[in-house]
């Protein structure tokens, strides 16, 4: 069984897409590492990259070519200075040279050496092939698949050594919601406590806390940046940033200097009932506007749905519990990560495989369940909330205009956050024993719906809004 860590589901990276940006970036890094391990790296004379299926059809809008170059340069999405991205890419385009892995300079023309192919490979719709010509004249290649959420695999992943090393064995291996509840009952623990026990098999307590704090601080800074940045998003659609204007109206004369001061100041301010939805929407919009501009976000569980979880967590901290502290943040993230892993194991978190239900739907379910635990819900109510949130995202398509993670993606994060809060409230007022649809059934249904969905609605920009709205109208 795949034992997926919370830190696999919540990863710090660069926007706009976990499957189309972060995944190809990681694939390039992995290919370089394999070249080095096989003693081919220093012999590389020239390379080509082929993008297949959804990676090709919406790759330019998702900055896939940019991500590939950054990965080949040996940079890391977790810590690369955002301001350095554009100069690095322009240098490659201008000089037509690439410093592969930051070690060897080879000729590289991005217009010729990154090839966009409409063909879909059988294994997964997000295929990427790296080809290297060695000094001997020999040509070698490797194909990877970006399967959503920044996860990258080869087709032989079941038997591959690298994948066996990634998925460890937890003391409480969990594949389904039913198994999770059984362990909670057996151990008499909340979901967050059980997940923490699993994480302790991989990291020390101090490492878990440090990594979770880094995730939260990245989320908070991302919201802060989005709320304080105005202008138009890149990509050609001329989408105006809205979080800035909404935030200006909401904050009034609030005074602060840092993201943490900003949070504390909002918490001390009386938020009127009619402003709650506006604040939550503002938080979500802010994150995904940063994501759309190649900013740093937390993949949760994808970049396209990165705004839902931080927005709902902020809702808890500024509306529900002004005394909320890191322990609450920690519990929220642990629960959210576990629910996300159940969807990944039982269905998919890739829009290219399942449409937007696999991204916004899953993130809303993750946030709903996490919020329910913080509000005092039982493990049964937590899973009930996750089920409600996903149930009302079933069938949601992925049809981004221009292949950009902007329309309808940014607004969908606000809607997903609101649905998560609503789902948590409904679950808290419900008897889980009377629920007609368990979480595992909605996971199965989501996967069946994904398989039935027409491929043009799976992140190809060949259906729905992507063809119903002319770019000139934007």
């Amino acid at each position: 069984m795949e034992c997926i860590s919370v830190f696999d589901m919540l990863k710090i990276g660069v926007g706009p897409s976990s499957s189309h940006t972060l995944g190809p970036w990681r694939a390039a890094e992995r290919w370089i590492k394999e070249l080095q391990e096989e003693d081919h790296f220093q012999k590389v004379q020239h390379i080509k990259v082929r993008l297949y299926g959804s990676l090709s059809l919406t790759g330019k809008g998702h900055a896939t070519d940019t991500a590939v170059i950054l990965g080949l340069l040996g940079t890391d999405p977790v810590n690369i200075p955002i301001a350095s991205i554009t100069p690095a890419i322009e240098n490659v385009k201008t000089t037509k040279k690439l410093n592969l892995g930051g070690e060897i300079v080879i000729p590289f023309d991005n217009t010729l050496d990154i090839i966009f192919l409409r063909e879909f490979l059988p294994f997964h719709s997000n295929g990427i092939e790296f080809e290297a010509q060695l000094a001997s004249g020999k040509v070698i290649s490797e194909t990877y698949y970006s399967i959503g959420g920044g996860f990258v695999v080869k087709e032989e992943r079941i038997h591959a050594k690298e994948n066996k090393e990634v998925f460890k064995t937890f003391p409480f291996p969990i594949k389904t919601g039913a198994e999770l509840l059984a362990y909670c009952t057996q151990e008499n623990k909340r979901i967050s406590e059980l997940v923490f026990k699993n994480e302790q098999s991989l990291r020390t307590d101090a490492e878990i806390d440090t990594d979770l704090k880094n995730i939260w601080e990245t989320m908070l800074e991302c919201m802060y940046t989005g709320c304080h940045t105005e202008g138009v998003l890149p990509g050609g659609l001329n989408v105006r940033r809205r979080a800035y204007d909404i935030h200006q109206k909401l904050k009034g004369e609030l005074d602060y200097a840092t993201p943490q001061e900003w949070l504390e100041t909002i918490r001390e301010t009386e938020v009127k009932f009619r402003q709650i939805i506006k604040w939550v929407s503002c938080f979500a919009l802010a994150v995904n506007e940063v994501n759309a501009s190649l900013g740093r976000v937390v993949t949760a569980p994808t970049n396209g749905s990165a705004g839902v979880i931080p927005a709902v967590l902020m809702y808890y901290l500024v509306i529900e519990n002004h005394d909320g502290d890191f322990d609450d943040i920690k519990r929220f993230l642990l629960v959210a990560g576990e629910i996300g892993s159940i969807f990944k194991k039982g269905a998919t978190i890739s829009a290219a495989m399942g449409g937007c239900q696999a991204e916004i739907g899953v993130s809303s379910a993750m946030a709903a369940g996490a919020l329910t635990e913080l509000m005092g819900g039982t493990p049964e109510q937590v899973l009930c909330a996750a089920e409600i949130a996903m149930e009302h995202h079933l069938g949601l398509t992925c049809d981004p205009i221009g292949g950009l993670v902007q329309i309808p993606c940014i607004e969908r994060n606000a809607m997903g956050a609101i649905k998560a809060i609503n789902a948590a409230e409904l679950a808290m007022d419900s008897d889980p024993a009377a629920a007609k649809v368990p979480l595992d059934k909605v996971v199965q249904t989501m996967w069946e719906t994904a398989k039935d969905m027409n491929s043009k609605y799976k992140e190809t920009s060949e259906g729905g809004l992507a063809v119903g709205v002319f770019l000139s109208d934007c």
Side-chain angles (χ1 to χ4, degrees), residues 3 24 41 57 59 133 181 215 233 241 292 344 388 391 445 474:
C3 293
F41 181 73
L57 292 169
Q133 180 178 333
L181 288 181
I215 287 171
L233 294 173
R241 292 175 180 262
K344 185 182 183 304
I388 293 171
E391 184 178 325
T445 301
C474 297

Side-chain angles (χ1 to χ4, degrees), residues 62-77:
H62 286 67
T64 303
D65 47 351
T66 295
V68 166
I69 293 172
L70 291 169
L72 292 172
L73 288 171
T75 64
D76 192 307

Side-chain angles (χ1 to χ4, degrees), residues 271-284:
V271 177
K272 298 178 181 178
F273 176 75
R274 290 187 61 192
Q275 293 179 324
I276 294 176
I277 290 179
K278 291 183 180 180
W279 271 112
V280 173
S281 298
C282 182
F283 297 142

Side-chain angles (χ1 to χ4, degrees), residues 254-265:
L254 296 182
D255 185 34
Y256 48 83
T258 67
Q260 190 60 47
E261 287 181 14
W262 176 61
L263 168 60
E264 296 303 326
T265 303

Side-chain angles (χ1 to χ4, degrees), residues 454-467:
N454 191 302
S455 62
K456 68 183 181 180
Y457 297 116
K458 297 180 182 179
E459 207 166 5
T460 62
S461 288
E462 293 186 321
L465 288 176
V467 298

Side-chain angles (χ1 to χ4, degrees), residues 8 31 96 128 234 247 253 275 279 300 354 357 378 420 429 457:
D8 293 321
W31 182 56
K96 297 191 184 304
I128 179 169
H247 182 254
E253 301 301 320
Q275 293 179 324
W279 271 112
Q357 60 173 356
T378 64
D429 288 331
Y457 297 116

Side-chain angles (χ1 to χ4, degrees), residues 327-348:
D327 182 60
D328 296 303
I329 294 169
K330 176 178 176 178
R331 289 170 55 203
F332 187 101
L333 296 177
L334 290 170
V335 174
E338 186 60 43
I339 292 172
S341 75
I342 290 173
F343 276 97
K344 185 182 183 304
K345 293 167 190 170
T348 181

